[in-house]
Amino acid sequence: MKIFRWLDENIEKVLILGSYVVMTGIIFVEVIRRFAFGQQAAWSTTIPIYLFLWVTWIGCAYCCKSRGHLRFEEFRMRLPYKGQFFCMMVDHLLWIGFAVLVIYYSYDVVYLSYDNFSIVQGTDDVMQWWFYMATPVGFGMVIYRVLQNMFEDIGRFNRGEPMPINANQASE
């Protein structure tokens, strides 16, 4: 159970940090190789771009988890308690609906890349679909985090506790 709790708290951070470190390392090493030795790996400009997909979509899930995503805080703070709760539930449902659409349509891109054995430009055996999987995985994590927040908000509403209107309140 400890491992699952740790993963629940840190999975986005680990995936983002890992992708960012690899991306930065590739760029750093290849810039030195280019200017110091006049050489550069052919894939050194494409793989960091693909890794940025992982940073971006997993980062989206992390922002949903920490409630740091786009929202209308000033408007909500002026609403009555039930209005705040209603708006938060609408937010959660919109996030889930959007994520389902993204997963549905990104599946075709991933499958097409997989089915055609598309490789990353400049490599012999690094498959593009490994990187394209960032979109459905990231938005699957968005759904998971939004559902966590939704159940937490329902519990708060049932207990009569204040709604976490801004990201600072959510982390307290």
Side-chain angles (χ1 to χ4, degrees):
M1 278 315 249
K2 252 182 164 179
I3 276 188
F4 290 121
R5 258 187 248 130
W6 186 88
L7 280 173
D8 186 52
E9 282 298 313
N10 298 298
I11 189 70
E12 289 94 349
K13 295 174 195 173
V14 168
L15 290 173
I16 291 168
L17 183 63
S19 296
Y20 198 69
V21 165
V22 171
M23 182 173 53
T24 305
I26 290 170
I27 293 169
F28 178 76
V29 167
E30 291 304 317
V31 166
I32 290 173
R33 287 186 60 205
R34 184 181 326 132
F35 289 109
F37 305 109
Q39 298 177 356
Q40 179 181 358
W43 50 264
S44 66
T45 57
T46 53
I47 288 188
I49 293 169
Y50 284 125
L51 284 169
F52 194 71
L53 290 171
W54 283 96
V55 172
T56 303
W57 299 131
I58 301 300
C60 182
Y62 180 73
C63 283
C64 286
K65 174 187 172 189
S66 64
R67 298 176 187 258
H69 50 72
L70 180 63
R71 43 200 301 151
F72 302 102
E73 295 174 2
E74 293 299 320
F75 172 72
R76 292 208 183 138
M77 289 183 348
R78 290 172 172 65
L79 289 175
Y81 185 69
K82 287 183 180 180
Q84 291 175 0
F85 177 72
F86 176 76
C87 284
M88 291 186 87
M89 290 301 111
V90 169
D91 264 2
H92 296 318
L93 294 175
L94 288 173
W95 267 110
I96 291 168
F98 179 69
V100 167
L101 282 173
V102 170
I103 291 169
Y104 178 79
Y105 287 105
S106 67
Y107 172 80
D108 290 338
V109 173
V110 173
Y111 185 74
L112 186 64
S113 178
Y114 172 80
D115 200 36
N116 288 323
F117 301 98
S118 300
I119 59 169
V120 173
Q121 300 85 345
T123 69
D124 292 328
D125 57 358
V126 178
M127 305 305 286
Q128 283 183 349
W129 71 268
W130 298 344
F131 299 99
Y132 291 150
M133 278 299 294
T135 306
V137 168
F139 278 92
M141 292 175 75
V142 164
I143 291 172
Y144 175 69
R145 295 304 184 184
V146 168
L147 286 172
Q148 279 183 323
N149 288 341
M150 179 185 266
F151 292 127
E152 182 181 305
D153 293 343
I154 290 169
R156 282 185 174 156
F157 181 75
N158 289 336
R159 292 186 300 273
E161 296 173 0
M163 290 289 124
I165 298 299
N166 62 36
N168 295 334
Q169 284 179 314
S171 62
E172 293 174 357

